[in-house]
Amino acid sequence: MTLPTSIAPALAGALTARGYETLTPVQLAVLAPEAEGADLLVSAQTGSGKTVAFGMAIAPTLLEGGDHLGEARKPLALVIAPTRELALQVQRELAWLYADAGARIVSNVGGMDIRTERRALANGAHIVVGTPGRLRDHITKGALDISELKAVVLDEADEMLDLGFREDLEFILAASPEERRTLMFSATVPKAIAQLATTYQRDALRLSVAGEKEQHGDIEYKLVTVPAHDRENAIINTLLYFDAPNAIIFCHTRESVKHLTARLLNRGFAVVALSGELTQAERTNALQSMRDGRARVCVATDVAARGIDIPNLDLVIHADIPGNPDTLLHRSGRTGRAGRKGTCVLIVPQHRRGAVQRVLKLARLEASNMQAPTSAQIEARYRQSILDDAALSAPADEDIAAFATELLGRYTPEQIAAAYLRVQLAARPVPEEVDDIPVPAQSFKKDRPERGAPSERMTGGVWFKLSLGRKQRADPRWLLPMICKAGGVEKASVGSIKIQDTETHFEIAANKADAYLAHLASHGTGERNVTIQPLSGGPSSSAPKWEKRKKPRGDRFEPMAAFAPAPEELPAPAAKKPKAKSKPFNKDKGKPDFKAKKARAAAAAAGQDVGERPFKPKRKKPGFDPAA
């Protein structure tokens, strides 16, 4: 298939040289006749080729029928992206796309030297790509003159609003010429994006390319359920099992990124980190390492990885479960881009299976369950990759052939093959051991016992004691997770929990007791100064409920009579003192007589002579001397 003739000739040559034979749906949509010269509101999934799409869409507006842009002066186009990485990525894409047109493209992003950017703007630019905050800073300080803009592009507009850039976007759009073209590209079109389009676009053409049912159609989702303590081991084995050219692992926090990066470095992986605490130079170097092959694994947070595009990224691993479907789709969208197949693996602790199923359901995605890759499976893959190595079947040149003949003369073929295998296997990381648990069914609700149903799992349970009790403020709400984590079991395997003064007794299902002990021996309790040991002789019985009551509640509690002392042994009740009679009200001790006061007031109002009110001295306090 040949490229459409509607593409500007200066860009068609660059696309052909880049190996483009067909265009993606979003790229074809912006080249439609009705889209020429119009404002566009485009919604398309991540990785659908939007950068090349809006580059082709604004080309006729910038070139105005010519093949060259001419001398660079004031910018003709402004592209706004939510993050530094995405802005620099857009700059690289537009650089090769507009190479034949002689375009000068300048980036303005936070974290870079602002003086260097000002010098670049002073030398002139055809297209400026930047982040909202830095672009607004240059505009307010007069370093960026946008009075001659012909087109403004908002890339990932929904993410820019989510990150709080609405005020900056409105400032930039308000300062731009009214006759410009405005193109908004967004994965979704929420109400806020629609309002922004209504305010700053003129009769925008709405283009919706990928429907919801088609989203992430090139991504295969895998659900790996593991014990919580084996999460990192499962991540390592997943990387070794799939052996992707490039992989990215998502974590929630910066500390998780640092910890997992250090663990992978110690295991021999070529890994880089990407988080918000890194400088822009460090983040740029990390991404460049992934692009040129110096690193194969990137551990990143959600914010740092927004919009990045890493070539040959075939594997995405969720080390921490996404909190909502948007985060899941955004993370997973780093693979399966522009028609390329990808795999997304969710590493799920046993107690979080329900949560990840809800997120998948909200995202309208289906994931197939799989076991965590075992060391045997990974070693089998190692052997198969060695057997399939193309170097073994490649013809040898004269120098190599002569040296190979010399080797065969000194060593047997078996010795040479064994040495080759040792070298190959030593260059690969050793897989980790992961506890084997059954693959859960697709619907977890069917596996759960009904509430209130009698449990059969505690028949012949084994009792253990924990060195925490009431004096240490032991509480079942945090004791139960501790017990499960210490022995690598689920809540369903824990029976009764009885908290004593200085220790706690709990019951483990009989079929899990041996594994519980083995796990304790190898991993410990995981808590400082806390021990768990088997309990001989069973738990101590707790006090009967009747002993805890302060007093009986009448004849309703007949069993208490059997434990109460005999009536004749009860002490006789002490005689009550007779209650003192209340003293009569004495008006002469300074107490007011309200009825008499009211009668005197009424008589005075009628004009009667009520005379002087006799003086009644107040009672003296002890030790009070009025003459003092």
Side-chain angles (χ1 to χ4, degrees):
M1 177 180 175
T2 58
L3 295 176
T5 57
S6 56
I7 301 176
L11 275 61
L15 291 169
T16 303
R18 198 76 173 185
Y20 277 72
E21 297 180 356
T22 59
L23 298 181
T24 63
V26 66
Q27 293 166 357
L28 293 172
V30 299
L31 294 175
E34 60 271 17
E36 184 177 355
D39 288 0
L40 302 179
L41 177 58
V42 184
S43 61
Q45 70 183 40
T46 303
S48 57
K50 289 184 287 185
T51 304
V52 174
F54 64 69
M56 294 188 298
I58 62 175
T61 305
L62 305 184
L63 294 169
E64 295 181 338
D67 293 334
H68 201 273
L69 288 171
E71 185 181 356
R73 295 179 181 175
K74 296 180 181 179
L76 304 177
L78 185 66
V79 181
I80 311 173
T83 63
R84 298 173 247 179
E85 286 74 26
L86 183 55
L88 297 175
Q89 177 180 302
V90 169
Q91 182 192 22
R92 288 191 298 269
E93 290 290 303
L94 295 181
W96 67 259
L97 184 62
Y98 278 83
D100 295 342
R104 175 177 168 79
I105 304 173
V106 173
S107 65
N108 293 163
V109 298
M112 303 297 283
D113 189 351
I114 195 170
R115 295 169 296 180
T116 303
E117 293 180 349
R118 288 177 180 173
R119 286 193 293 269
L121 291 172
N123 293 332
H126 295 104
I127 302 174
V128 174
V129 184
T131 51
R134 181 55 65 92
L135 290 174
R136 180 176 182 176
D137 188 31
H138 282 308
I139 293 172
T140 54
K141 294 180 178 178
L144 176 58
D145 187 350
I146 58 175
S147 60
E148 295 184 7
L149 284 182
K150 296 181 180 179
V152 175
V153 179
L154 275 65
D155 191 13
E156 304 288 356
D158 54 345
E159 291 188 11
M160 284 193 282
L161 293 186
D162 291 341
L163 294 175
F165 291 129
R166 184 186 185 93
E167 184 178 347
D168 294 333
L169 292 177
E170 291 178 344
F171 173 86
I172 296 170
L173 293 173
S176 303
E178 293 184 0
E179 299 301 319
R180 70 180 187 277
R181 286 184 67 192
T182 305
L183 289 74
M184 293 188 186
F185 285 76
S186 178
T188 59
V189 184
K191 184 178 180 180
I193 294 293
Q195 292 176 346
L196 198 66
T198 303
T199 306
Y200 295 101
Q201 287 187 309
R202 298 170 298 173
D203 301 326
L205 179 62
R206 177 76 166 84
L207 299 176
S208 181
V209 179
E212 293 181 352
K213 294 182 180 180
E214 301 173 0
Q215 67 178 358
H216 293 196
D218 294 329
I219 302 175
E220 184 181 8
Y221 284 84
K222 300 286 187 181
L223 199 63
V224 178
T225 306
V226 296
H229 64 272
D230 274 338
R231 185 179 66 96
E232 292 181 4
N233 293 343
I235 293 172
I236 291 172
N237 284 8
T238 300
L239 288 171
L240 297 177
Y241 181 78
F242 286 97
D243 194 25
N246 280 325
I248 188 168
I249 305 172
F250 283 104
C251 301
H252 281 331
T253 64
R254 301 173 183 178
E255 288 301 320
S256 299
V257 169
K258 290 166 61 177
H259 172 77
L260 189 55
T261 302
R263 177 79 190 276
L264 294 177
L265 283 172
N266 292 336
R267 300 293 286 104
F269 289 90
V271 59
V272 293
L274 200 63
S275 64
E277 67 180 353
L278 302 179
T279 64
Q280 183 57 44
E282 290 172 331
R283 292 160 73 168
T284 302
N285 291 336
L287 289 175
Q288 188 58 39
S289 298
M290 294 291 293
R291 293 188 179 98
D292 58 26
R294 287 179 290 137
R296 294 180 58 187
V297 181
C298 177
V299 185
T301 57
D302 294 321
V303 175
R306 281 186 178 271
I308 64 171
D309 184 16
I310 299 175
N312 301 323
L313 183 65
D314 293 345
L315 177 64
V316 171
I317 298 177
H318 300 267
D320 292 322
I321 297 175
N324 55 70
D326 292 336
T327 302
L328 173 63
L329 293 172
H330 158 71
R331 289 177 172 184
S332 306
R334 300 308 99 203
T335 186
R337 301 171 71 86
R340 187 181 178 92
K341 300 294 182 181
T343 304
C344 175
V345 180
L346 294 97
I347 308 296
V348 185
Q350 286 176 290
H351 64 284
R352 297 297 307 278
R353 289 184 302 173
V356 76
Q357 284 286 23
R358 287 190 293 271
V359 174
L360 286 168
K361 184 177 180 180
L362 292 172
R364 301 181 182 180
L365 297 173
E366 293 184 2
S368 59
N369 293 300
M370 67 172 287
Q371 289 276 10
T374 63
S375 57
Q377 292 174 324
I378 295 170
E379 288 171 359
R381 287 224 167 192
Y382 282 171
R383 295 188 179 93
Q384 189 62 40
S385 63
I386 293 173
L387 292 174
D388 296 340
D389 192 351
L392 293 175
S393 57
D397 54 28
E398 295 181 1
D399 295 337
I400 296 296
F403 190 43
T405 303
E406 184 180 350
L407 279 175
L408 288 171
R410 182 175 299 185
Y411 303 101
T412 65
E414 290 79 7
Q415 290 175 317
I416 297 174
Y420 172 76
L421 288 175
R422 283 194 292 269
V423 171
Q424 289 291 324
L425 293 175
R428 292 168 165 81
V430 179
E432 297 284 352
E433 291 295 333
V434 181
D435 289 349
D436 186 19
I437 60 173
V439 175
Q442 288 299 119
S443 176
F444 296 118
K445 292 182 179 179
K446 295 180 181 179
D447 298 334
R448 296 176 181 173
E450 296 182 4
R451 291 187 178 182
S455 176
E456 300 177 357
R457 64 180 185 275
M458 288 295 105
T459 303
V462 179
W463 287 87
F464 292 80
K465 65 178 180 179
L466 179 84
S467 60
L468 294 175
R470 278 191 288 266
K471 290 185 177 180
Q472 291 79 25
R473 298 183 180 179
D475 188 284
R477 288 176 295 180
W478 54 267
L479 278 180
L480 180 58
M482 180 193 299
I483 292 169
C484 294
K485 182 180 178 182
V489 298
E490 299 183 23
K491 295 179 182 179
S493 300
V494 182
S496 300
I497 298 177
K498 298 186 177 182
I499 301 175
Q500 309 297 323
D501 288 339
T502 59
E503 61 185 19
T504 297
H505 302 164
F506 62 91
E507 189 181 13
I508 297 295
N511 59 343
K512 298 286 185 180
D514 293 338
Y516 194 89
L517 277 172
H519 192 278
L520 278 174
S522 59
H523 296 86
T525 62
E527 301 290 339
R528 182 181 296 179
N529 299 328
V530 176
T531 60
I532 297 178
Q533 299 175 353
L535 182 63
S536 59
S540 60
S541 59
S542 58
K545 293 183 179 180
W546 58 267
E547 287 187 350
K548 295 181 180 179
R549 298 195 180 115
K550 294 183 179 179
K551 58 183 180 179
R553 298 181 182 177
D555 297 334
R556 291 178 296 167
F557 296 91
E558 295 179 0
M560 293 189 64
F563 302 97
E568 58 273 16
E569 297 177 4
L570 291 175
K576 294 184 178 180
K577 292 178 66 177
K579 189 176 180 181
K581 296 182 179 180
S582 58
K583 296 181 179 180
F585 189 78
N586 192 345
K587 297 181 180 180
D588 295 334
K589 290 189 176 182
K591 301 288 184 179
D593 188 350
F594 294 105
K595 291 185 178 180
K597 185 177 180 180
K598 188 175 181 181
R600 288 174 61 85
Q608 300 178 7
D609 184 12
V610 294
E612 292 283 341
R613 182 180 179 184
F615 173 74
K616 294 182 179 180
K618 295 183 178 179
R619 297 179 64 184
K620 296 179 181 180
K621 295 182 179 179
F624 177 75
D625 187 1

